[in-house]
Amino acid sequence: MTAGPPIEELHFEDAPDVGDVPGPNSRDLLARQREIDSSAVAYPEDIPIAFEEGKGATVRDADGNTYIDLFAGIGVLNVGHANPYVLEAVHEQADKLVHTVDFPTEARLELIEKLDEIAPAGLQGQNRVVFGGPTGSDAIEASIKLAKYNTGGDGLVAFRGAYHGATTGAMSLTSNTGFKEAYTPLLGDVVHAPYPNPLRQGKTPEESVDHALEEVQAIIEDPYGGLANPAGIFVEPIQGEGGVITPPEGFLRGLRDIADDNDVPLVFDEIQSGLGRTGEWWASDWAGVTPDAMTSAKALGGVGFPLSATMYHEDLDTWGSGDHAGTYRGHVVGMRAGTRAIEYIQDHDLLAHARELGSSIRDRLREAGEGTDRLAEVRGRGLFVGAEFRDENGDPNGEVVDAIQQYCFERGVLVWTAGRHGNVLRLLPPLVLTEELAETAMDVVADAIEQVTAEAATAR
């Protein structure tokens, strides 16, 4: 029996259908938010919208405007908004029990077993899972503690362009100095190595990888490398906030070798890239490299429930009772949702769908950029897609991407940005996005690229 309805039945049929946006109801809600919500609120500054409901890869705002969603709550909604197969279990569980700390429940143990089923090959059947608090940052904090506990070290290697979260340890691994400068001091002895990015570095893929690995090796092995007591290497297999930077072949394998040679854990942050986003269960599966520990969140909660987890090799399970703790480690509704989401991806072969649809989306982006020198590169895996834009001098151009985002919003397609300079168009649609919806959305995105880049060229 197939899990739930086919993806073609999940969406609002009228998407996209928008008038003059934002409409009056959205404007009122946005104004109320500005009056009483935190000044730290950021997303409505880029897309002024007040959401009302969602179905599949489509959403409606408070004025009844219907959009195609190519953002999915920063990659949270891999099986779409309000997936009925997931919500069936959610409603059933919510009527019975919601919070259990870390007492055993069927929901908890079933999700752990399901995660083992889809784990990287080197972790299958020989892992442990620790659930964390509601955000990916909690999983990162757990992985830092795990690495330190097992090695006795305190030095951490991370990468330039990295984003790992907003709590103290996760922010220490994050490379954006502007993001964290007001909160220093953070963790000491965190060294950021270059992440291979041939376009930015002006190198061949091989040169870019070799340079990055040489730097990591020096940081860990060189007596003058600066890191006295290394505890672990922390890396995104594909950098998300950094601009969907997809490392060339050999990078993750090289990190695995360095970690093994120096007996330090290799930790993969799969919070944004995991659970089918790239057309494999984990982005690291593309390289065939298994980490010692791996963080997950975002899509783990099925349809947006806050849940995070760290999976690690059983040899690292040296913690004693209570050595890692937290109140929200037993969100059984989120756990039921996570299991159902994995089942839905499996039964509807959404990994293959993500690979095929993602390839066609990247091709369409490249076609849209053929008439301009402003589109520097299209990259990604599966439905994790980035398109980087430059100005006439070859410098990063965030203004073009902002204009593309606005153009799409006004025509009923939601896209987002990424990259150090906000110059990367980032597409993270639900894996249930249909070919028909994708074609409609990409017509809008392609028109936006062609019009905005043409206007930028004439404005020189």
Side-chain angles (χ1 to χ4, degrees):
M1 181 178 176
T2 303
I7 64 174
E8 290 78 13
E9 298 179 8
L10 299 181
H11 321 279
F12 290 124
E13 294 181 359
D14 59 338
D17 181 17
V18 300
D20 186 21
V21 293
N25 293 332
S26 286
R27 290 197 300 270
D28 287 347
L29 289 168
L30 289 163
R32 284 176 58 195
Q33 183 180 45
R34 286 190 293 270
E35 288 292 323
I36 63 175
D37 209 337
S38 169
S39 59
V41 166
Y43 286 96
E45 294 176 1
D46 294 310
I47 296 183
I49 187 173
F51 291 110
E52 182 73 21
E53 58 181 328
K55 288 182 66 176
T58 59
V59 291
R60 280 198 180 129
D61 69 14
D63 297 281
N65 296 300
T66 310
Y67 305 81
I68 300 175
D69 183 5
L70 301 186
F71 182 52
I74 328 181
V76 166
L77 300 157
N78 282 12
V79 296
H81 297 267
N83 185 294
Y85 181 70
V86 178
L87 289 181
E88 178 185 48
V90 165
H91 294 310
E92 177 185 277
Q93 183 63 55
D95 287 340
K96 294 168 58 178
L97 186 67
V98 173
H99 174 70
T100 63
V101 195
D102 59 5
F103 290 99
T105 61
E106 287 290 337
R108 181 189 192 90
L109 301 181
E110 284 175 1
L111 181 55
I112 292 173
E113 290 168 350
K114 203 67 178 173
L115 287 170
D116 178 66
E117 185 180 317
I118 65 171
L123 288 177
Q124 282 185 2
Q126 46 188 344
N127 67 76
R128 294 290 184 269
V129 173
V130 59
F131 290 106
T135 74
S137 296
D138 296 292
I140 293 293
E141 298 290 345
S143 67
I144 292 172
K145 292 168 66 176
L146 183 74
K148 288 186 172 186
Y149 194 93
N150 276 276
T151 63
D154 56 13
L156 308 175
V157 178
F159 291 86
R160 296 168 200 162
Y163 179 83
H164 294 285
T167 51
T168 297
M171 201 165 15
S172 301
L173 297 178
T174 295
S175 68
N176 185 341
T177 57
F179 180 69
K180 60 187 183 180
E181 63 186 354
Y183 310 108
T184 56
L186 300 171
L187 296 185
D189 271 348
V190 178
V191 180
H192 289 84
Y195 194 93
N197 183 349
L199 177 68
R200 182 174 182 273
Q201 296 160 346
K203 300 176 182 290
T204 67
E206 294 79 9
E207 290 170 341
S208 184
V209 168
D210 289 345
H211 174 62
L213 294 177
E214 286 168 3
E215 287 291 318
V216 174
Q217 188 166 15
I219 290 167
I220 292 179
E221 297 181 4
D222 188 338
Y224 290 85
L227 197 64
N229 300 296
I233 301 170
F234 294 75
V235 64
E236 297 163 273
I238 296 177
Q239 286 191 340
E241 302 300 320
V244 195
I245 307 299
T246 308
E249 183 179 353
F251 175 59
L252 297 183
R253 173 58 58 192
L255 292 181
R256 177 73 275 169
D257 292 341
I258 293 170
D260 289 341
D261 290 345
N262 293 277
D263 198 25
V264 296
L266 176 62
V267 182
F268 287 167
D269 180 344
E270 293 267 13
I271 291 166
Q272 189 168 146
S273 59
L275 288 162
R277 167 59 47 197
T278 68
E280 296 288 352
W281 282 114
W282 312 102
S284 54
D285 288 342
W286 284 96
V289 177
T290 297
D292 298 296
M294 180 177 71
T295 59
S296 180
K298 289 192 184 293
L300 182 63
V303 285
F305 287 100
L307 184 66
S308 70
T310 300
M311 175 183 286
Y312 55 93
H313 195 280
E314 61 188 4
D315 290 349
L316 297 177
D317 194 36
T318 57
W319 273 328
S321 174
D323 281 342
H324 180 66
T327 300
Y328 288 101
R329 293 179 291 145
H331 193 329
V332 288
V333 176
M335 291 169 178
R336 285 289 304 277
T339 298
R340 280 288 181 108
I342 294 171
E343 290 173 350
Y344 190 89
I345 293 171
Q346 289 174 322
D347 283 10
H348 294 269
D349 200 13
L350 294 188
L351 299 185
H353 177 69
R355 293 193 296 270
E356 294 164 6
L357 192 58
S359 179
S360 67
I361 287 174
R362 289 189 295 277
D363 287 345
R364 188 71 191 280
L365 287 168
R366 294 186 183 102
E367 290 173 7
E370 286 177 354
T372 178
D373 59 357
R374 303 303 175 91
L375 179 57
E377 186 174 61
V378 176
R379 53 183 177 254
R381 298 277 195 181
L383 289 173
F384 198 7
V385 180
E388 182 164 342
F389 289 82
R390 300 292 179 92
D391 64 17
E392 67 273 16
N393 299 316
D395 297 322
N397 193 338
E399 292 180 0
V400 163
V401 178
D402 288 342
I404 291 170
Q405 183 183 52
Q406 181 66 24
Y407 182 103
C408 292
F409 168 56
E410 292 173 355
R411 289 156 182 81
V413 176
L414 304 182
V415 300
W416 218 260
T417 66
R420 300 176 183 218
H421 307 280
N423 65 313
V424 177
L425 177 68
R426 177 172 41 155
L427 305 182
L428 297 168
L431 307 185
V432 298
L433 182 73
T434 63
E435 292 182 11
E436 181 180 3
L437 283 171
E439 183 176 352
T440 300
M442 292 311 297
D443 284 344
V444 174
V445 174
D447 287 346
I449 292 172
E450 291 165 7
Q451 180 166 319
V452 169
T453 57
E455 291 175 353
T458 58
R460 279 186 281 190

